[in-house]
Amino acid sequence: MFKRMTVCLLVSLLFLGLLAIAETAVPETPGAQVGGTLTIGVSQTFKDLDPRIMNSAYDGYVTGQIFDDLIVLDPYTFEPQPYVAKSWEVLSDDRVRFYLNEGIKFHNGEDLTAEDVAFTFNWIADPENNSPNFTELVWMQEVVVVDDYTVDVITKPDYAPFAPGFAQETQSIVPKDTVLAMGDEEFNLHPVGSGPYKFEEWKTGESLTIVRNEDYWLTYPNLDRVVYRPIPELSVMMLELEAGGIDIADNMPAQDVVRFQEMTGRSVAQCPSMFCAYMFFNLQHAPGNDPRFREAVYRSTNIDAAVFSIFQNLTGVRSYGCVPPAIWANDVPYLRDNVALEEDDARSKRLIAELKADGVIPEDRPLTVYCPLDPRRTQIATIIATNLIENGLNVIVQPLDWGPYLDLAYRSESDPTAAELDMGIIGWSGGPDPHDFLYYLFDSDNATVGSADNLSWYQDPEFDAWIKEADTTLDTARREELYVKAQRKVYEEIINIPLYHYIETRGLNDRVQGFLISPLSEMHICDPYHNVWVKSS
Amino acid sequence: MQLLFVLFGLTVLLFLLLKAMPGDPAKVMAGIGARIETIEAIREDLGLDRPWPVQYWRLVSGIFNGNLQAMTYHKPVWTVILERLPATIELGIFALIIALFVSIPAGLLSAIYRNSPLDYAVTTTALMGISIPVFWFALMLMMVLGVTLRVLPVSGRGLSVAVPYLGRWSFVTWDGIRHLIIPAVALSSVQMAMNARLTRASMLEVLQQEYVNTARAKGLRERVVLVKHAFRNALAPVVTNIGLQVGSLFAGAVLTETTTAWPGIGRLMIEAINRRDQAVVFGLALFMAACYMLSYLAVDVLYAYIDPRITYD
């Protein structure tokens, strides 16, 4: 799933009313060797290399090295830090001024200036351009050039406290003149950025190569080149990692984690992710709109055991709420101890019988648990459905390819089966702010026919008001209080059943040094926090 | 003329199948959370909002005049296909060569030494070749040759050289040949087994013909009898089978290429289906079908060469 990351990164700065001034520099890595090739195995083929239209985390592995971002998030604290912008200043509730580093050059020798920054963000935010990243900048009105190295970001009044999601690979800065000269399609195939590595060659389906930018403004990148190899079969990717054909595997199945942890010369890097999987109910009609039904489903299954059987706690862990444990306001202890329901087959059976007697559960058709064709989501759907059948519910599991699943889940008017959408399993990724989860998954704004992210179709004015207030207040403590309240409400009402969070997992060859895995699911090789190098063999 | 009718029917059938394929391509391209306006704009841009006959004509005319743009590759469909075609051609030819060089001598020897340990070894191996799934066989080859023995690279395509107007070819480099071995052996396994069994059966049948006895009675050397009289006549069904296999190599390549991360048109087909790139799926399916038809045609022509009794009016 692609990432939506509307990062609320300046809130703390706004709250403190500070002008951020910091040096942009890469920490020294003692003993680092310069030279060599790093080969990275990637689970999917690449699609787009223009950050403005790119919406896949896999494409982001590459564009993150070719382009620079306005600011960067600290991979440990998620605090915004200087990057292309050396500092910024809050001028008013709806205006933030960014001061850019001078002397940054694109790979073709052009200077990176305020014009390029404004062009990039205004292009994405212009609905006429139909950028898939448009929704990540809905809070932004315009970027205005003040002088060659200064821009003002004007936000919508309602979103005044929100800072730009400028630390994302989908908002990396592109060279205006080059894009206009090359055209969008050509630029997408032969990108020119200002990042630590330059685009060299893209053999579609085979490999993509980037080489060191000798004139990189921030530091001297350690590697001569980085080769990305799409390897769709995970089992083959593991064989490649074992044989030394790749240095980094971007993914790893649970059954291989321990093997690679114990293997000489290989290791496994892990950290919490920003992903949550959950089971949603269709609140638009019965039986999903009856809280007794939702409780009966929840009570039918030991979610801990189900998640453990799939992930063995190696690549995924039980979730108690959509906000991942890695970020603030997650409220995990409370949700786990007070809200999550234990398996109780007797109660589940009783509720199902009661719902049948009341005519809430339709007798003329089986209920359906929809899920995408992902083995893990299919497995957990099957476990829940099996338990429900044992408790007396006529239910089937229907895995669907991504396209038809979206049609169904979004309630596309063209899809006649949407009316029979009872419940489904799906996942969601966001940035390091609770807004990215609670607003998109539960707010009424996102219960829209054709592109609903609020798949349950939950519409509660009180909840919406809390989210709205949290999204527009400067007080972080108040925001946290509101987000916590909002979570407790939706999970006490069992609007969805939280299932699991992935653990970000990368397989590494020990020759790789300085690699840092981040919950932000990025694959940074060289930036203010990394400068990966490889030991010569 | 018959080929043209078949091609026309095929375009209609393919178009209907694409339309029956679940999932809105515009929605898949726009991604989760996209605005309705964005989805509509993509649909309009790709012509998916037009009536079916218009969409059909756009696909067919675009394929034949070369102007049809891939929906997600930012290039014309033919460019996308031709970029990936050399990888599949070299894989297919290598697989065919391996299959022929192993299976025909094996089948021949198996027939000559009927019911000997050699015969049993060939027939048993052939049975295994047919029974073992290609992807599993490929994984085993990778594990043994790539990981345990470390004599061959596990997957992917090796160093390739760009030839003007003809794309990139890897069989001209040593690294390329090393990368070719595992996918080619995996892809050839079924063909190898089928050809060996067919050659054996065909030879056994021919060896019982009276003209073979006559040749032996004339005092011809056994080698001449086997090669000149028996083998040539036993070859006709084998050639038919090989001709059909040329077409099926493209279909088989879908599985082998996906398993071994081989960047050919088989894997492109899977990618395009996953991306709902109807233009590429349409072009590729049509191209593969045309390859099938041409291989059938080639078999018919070859028949006349192998068996002079056959003539075409």
Side-chain angles (χ1 to χ4, degrees):
Chain A
M1 176 196 285
F2 76 92
K3 289 169 57 182
R4 176 201 297 279
M5 297 172 60
T6 307
V7 184
C8 315
L9 52 84
L10 287 185
V11 171
S12 55
L13 287 170
L14 286 159
F15 179 61
L16 295 170
L18 292 177
L19 168 72
I21 300 176
E23 287 298 317
T24 311
V26 182
E28 289 291 320
T29 43
Q33 295 173 7
V34 173
T37 298
L38 178 76
T39 307
I40 301 176
V42 184
S43 317
Q44 281 190 18
T45 50
F46 299 112
K47 194 165 156 252
D48 296 302
L49 296 181
D50 180 345
R52 298 171 304 155
I53 59 165
M54 177 274 284
N55 67 350
S56 144
Y58 301 97
D59 293 342
Y61 293 168
V62 180
T63 61
Q65 303 313 303
I66 296 175
F67 297 91
D68 284 329
D69 299 337
L70 192 63
I71 50 172
V72 64
L73 295 185
D74 183 304
Y76 301 104
T77 64
F78 310 132
E79 287 295 322
Q81 300 295 333
Y83 200 174
V84 167
K86 62 184 176 187
S87 62
W88 51 86
E89 182 180 10
V90 180
L91 299 181
S92 66
D93 279 355
D94 63 354
R95 186 177 284 252
V96 184
R97 177 161 292 177
F98 286 88
Y99 300 96
L100 311 183
N101 277 303
E102 294 181 29
I104 302 177
K105 288 193 181 297
F106 287 107
H107 301 151
N108 59 4
E110 285 178 16
D111 286 324
L112 189 158
T113 66
E115 282 289 345
D116 301 305
V117 175
F119 170 74
T120 302
F121 299 124
N122 289 334
W123 193 95
I124 295 169
D126 183 351
E128 289 294 310
N129 292 321
N130 289 311
S131 166
N133 306 320
F134 171 87
T135 49
E136 292 168 5
L137 292 181
V138 285
W139 47 269
M140 194 189 90
Q141 277 196 326
E142 193 184 6
V143 175
V144 179
V145 174
V146 178
D147 62 39
D148 279 357
Y149 295 99
T150 311
V151 291
D152 280 355
V153 176
I154 301 166
T155 65
K156 288 177 184 167
D158 278 354
Y159 289 82
F162 273 85
F166 287 153
Q168 301 174 49
E169 283 140 357
T170 47
Q171 268 97 49
S172 299
I173 301 160
V174 300
K176 177 185 175 183
D177 293 341
T178 309
V179 171
L180 294 177
M182 289 173 78
D184 291 338
E185 300 255 308
E186 181 59 19
F187 184 78
N188 191 39
L189 297 173
H190 297 94
V192 177
S194 60
Y197 291 91
K198 296 192 283 189
F199 172 80
E200 186 180 66
E201 187 178 34
W202 181 5
K203 297 179 192 166
T204 49
E206 186 175 344
S207 65
L208 196 152
T209 306
I210 53 177
V211 294
R212 181 195 294 121
N213 173 11
E214 298 285 345
D215 303 317
Y216 190 45
W217 61 281
L218 188 61
T219 187
Y220 190 73
N222 284 327
L223 300 161
D224 288 338
R225 64 186 57 231
V226 182
V227 178
Y228 299 88
R229 279 188 52 201
I231 305 174
E233 285 295 317
L234 262 188
S235 52
V236 176
M237 178 122 63
M238 294 304 101
L239 291 176
E240 282 284 16
L241 181 65
E242 195 173 347
I246 56 172
D247 299 306
I248 300 176
D250 79 333
N251 205 343
M252 184 174 278
Q255 68 267 22
D256 282 307
V257 170
V258 174
R259 192 167 71 88
F260 277 98
Q261 280 170 339
E262 292 171 352
M263 191 181 291
T264 309
R266 304 291 181 271
S267 58
V268 179
Q270 292 192 298
C271 72
S273 76
M274 295 290 177
F275 174 89
C276 65
Y278 58 93
M279 180 175 202
F280 66 91
F281 299 94
N282 186 353
L283 304 187
Q284 288 174 297
H285 60 68
N289 61 2
D290 192 316
R292 292 174 299 166
F293 175 74
R294 304 198 294 268
E295 186 185 344
V297 175
Y298 205 154
R299 294 275 189 201
S300 71
T301 301
N302 181 337
I303 305 289
D304 279 320
V307 171
F308 185 81
S309 71
I310 298 167
F311 298 102
Q312 294 94 54
N313 287 351
L314 292 170
T315 53
V317 290
R318 167 82 193 268
S319 163
Y320 296 97
C322 61
V323 180
I327 64 176
W328 60 285
N330 62 66
D331 202 30
V332 167
Y334 181 87
L335 295 175
R336 181 190 58 219
D337 299 337
N338 302 294
V339 180
L341 298 182
E342 298 286 325
E343 181 185 16
D344 184 342
D345 283 329
R347 180 161 172 79
S348 176
K349 280 178 189 167
R350 189 155 49 79
L351 286 169
I352 288 171
E354 204 176 293
L355 288 160
K356 279 183 176 172
D358 292 351
V360 175
I361 293 177
E363 298 282 355
D364 57 335
R365 66 175 176 91
L367 299 182
T368 307
V369 182
Y370 289 97
C371 60
L373 282 173
D374 161 23
R376 291 168 288 202
R377 279 171 245 189
T378 310
Q379 272 176 287
I380 206 154
T382 308
I383 292 170
I384 294 172
T386 306
N387 290 332
L388 285 170
I389 290 167
E390 284 174 6
N391 290 351
L393 190 70
N394 184 10
V395 63
I396 57 169
V397 174
Q398 179 63 67
L400 289 175
D401 199 4
W402 204 233
Y405 192 46
L406 287 185
D407 269 351
L408 188 69
Y410 284 0
R411 278 73 156 181
S412 296
E413 286 164 311
S414 58
D415 193 313
T417 58
E420 293 184 0
L421 175 70
D422 301 307
M423 48 198 155
I425 309 257
I426 202 161
W428 183 258
S429 288
D433 192 286
H435 161 91
D436 280 10
F437 296 85
L438 294 166
Y439 172 73
Y440 289 108
L441 300 188
F442 300 105
D443 196 281
S444 304
D445 286 356
N446 294 302
T448 320
V449 170
S451 65
D453 291 323
N454 175 356
L455 300 180
S456 300
W457 223 263
Y458 180 61
Q459 292 175 303
D460 185 281
E462 191 182 28
F463 178 93
D464 292 350
W466 291 341
I467 296 297
K468 184 82 170 172
E469 187 188 340
D471 289 353
T472 53
T473 186
L474 301 180
D475 182 346
T476 307
R478 176 65 181 152
R479 291 187 73 207
E480 179 160 9
E481 186 187 322
L482 289 162
Y483 286 139
V484 163
K485 208 154 63 163
Q487 283 174 83
R488 291 179 185 181
K489 180 175 173 59
V490 290
Y491 290 114
E492 275 161 5
E493 292 178 21
I494 319 176
I495 302 307
N496 72 37
I497 303 176
L499 297 172
Y500 56 84
H501 300 290
Y502 283 146
I503 299 173
E504 288 283 343
T505 305
R506 312 260 190 263
L508 298 176
N509 188 314
D510 283 355
R511 71 191 284 266
V512 180
Q513 301 290 312
F515 179 78
L516 183 67
I517 187 167
S518 158
L520 299 173
S521 189
E522 293 160 339
M523 183 80 82
H524 281 189
I525 305 301
C526 183
D527 68 12
Y529 294 92
H530 316 70
N531 196 354
V532 173
W533 55 283
V534 288
K535 282 188 206 165
S536 56
S537 50
Chain B
M1 197 59 178
Q2 199 182 1
L3 280 180
L4 287 179
F5 274 115
V6 174
L7 264 180
F8 170 71
L10 204 63
T11 57
V12 175
L13 187 67
L14 274 173
F15 178 76
L16 293 176
L17 283 173
L18 282 175
K19 287 291 136 195
M21 203 160 91
D24 180 353
K27 203 163 285 173
V28 174
M29 275 171 230
I32 294 177
R35 296 177 316 135
I36 297 172
E37 293 83 355
T38 304
I39 295 167
E40 289 300 332
I42 293 174
R43 200 173 283 140
E44 194 183 324
D45 193 38
L46 298 175
L48 297 171
D49 57 339
R50 313 292 296 277
W52 279 21
V54 178
Q55 289 187 44
Y56 169 78
W57 179 245
R58 185 180 149 272
L59 278 177
V60 173
S61 60
I63 280 289
F64 286 103
N65 64 27
N67 291 334
L68 184 65
Q69 281 287 322
M71 291 175 174
T72 61
Y73 289 84
H74 313 286
K75 297 172 188 173
V77 167
W78 281 117
T79 307
V80 177
I81 294 174
L82 292 175
E83 273 178 358
R84 307 282 279 264
L85 188 59
T88 298
I89 290 178
E90 62 187 13
L91 175 62
I93 289 175
F94 253 67
L96 201 61
I97 289 171
I98 294 170
L100 292 182
F101 272 80
V102 175
S103 63
I104 292 183
L108 204 60
L109 291 171
S110 183
I112 294 167
Y113 300 104
R114 190 184 179 190
N115 295 333
S116 68
L118 177 73
D119 182 25
Y120 293 137
V122 169
T123 48
T124 308
T125 311
L127 189 64
M128 283 170 65
I130 291 173
S131 315
I132 292 174
V134 171
F135 72 90
W136 185 85
F137 187 49
L139 279 174
M140 290 302 109
L141 289 173
M142 288 180 206
M143 206 177 280
V144 174
L145 301 175
V147 178
T148 309
L149 301 175
R150 305 254 169 136
V151 291
L152 289 174
V154 172
S155 70
R157 195 180 185 210
L159 185 65
S160 55
V161 175
V163 180
Y165 305 109
L166 295 175
R168 303 188 71 92
W169 299 86
S170 72
F171 76 94
V172 292
T173 68
W174 175 236
D175 184 52
I177 290 173
R178 293 182 72 237
H179 278 83
L180 255 172
I181 295 173
I182 289 179
V185 170
L187 182 59
S188 69
S189 60
V190 175
Q191 275 78 19
M192 226 185 303
M194 283 170 64
N195 286 341
R197 286 169 66 91
L198 197 64
T199 308
R200 179 181 179 274
S202 184
M203 269 300 278
L204 284 176
E205 194 185 328
V206 170
L207 285 173
Q208 286 167 6
Q209 299 293 317
E210 289 196 350
Y211 64 83
V212 174
N213 290 335
T214 308
R216 282 181 176 137
K218 279 194 324 191
L220 292 177
R221 280 182 299 157
E222 186 64 13
R223 192 173 159 185
V224 175
V225 173
L226 290 174
V227 175
K228 212 169 174 184
H229 292 263
F231 180 57
R232 182 161 182 177
N233 286 307
L235 211 55
V238 180
V239 169
T240 312
N241 195 45
I242 291 167
L244 304 184
Q245 283 172 2
V246 171
S248 68
L249 278 173
F250 286 108
V254 172
L255 202 58
T256 314
E257 288 181 0
T258 305
T259 309
T260 59
W262 189 261
I265 59 170
R267 201 168 129 205
L268 176 64
M269 179 64 104
I270 300 293
E271 271 174 41
I273 290 171
N274 286 338
R275 291 183 184 190
R276 292 291 185 281
D277 194 321
Q278 293 187 348
V280 173
V281 173
F282 187 80
L284 259 180
L286 209 58
F287 177 77
M288 287 180 174
C291 288
Y292 257 107
M293 288 191 280
L294 289 175
S295 67
Y296 273 56
L297 188 68
V299 168
D300 286 347
V301 173
L302 264 179
Y303 260 161
Y305 174 74
I306 293 167
D307 188 346
R309 291 171 299 180
I310 297 173
T311 54
Y312 297 106
D313 296 325

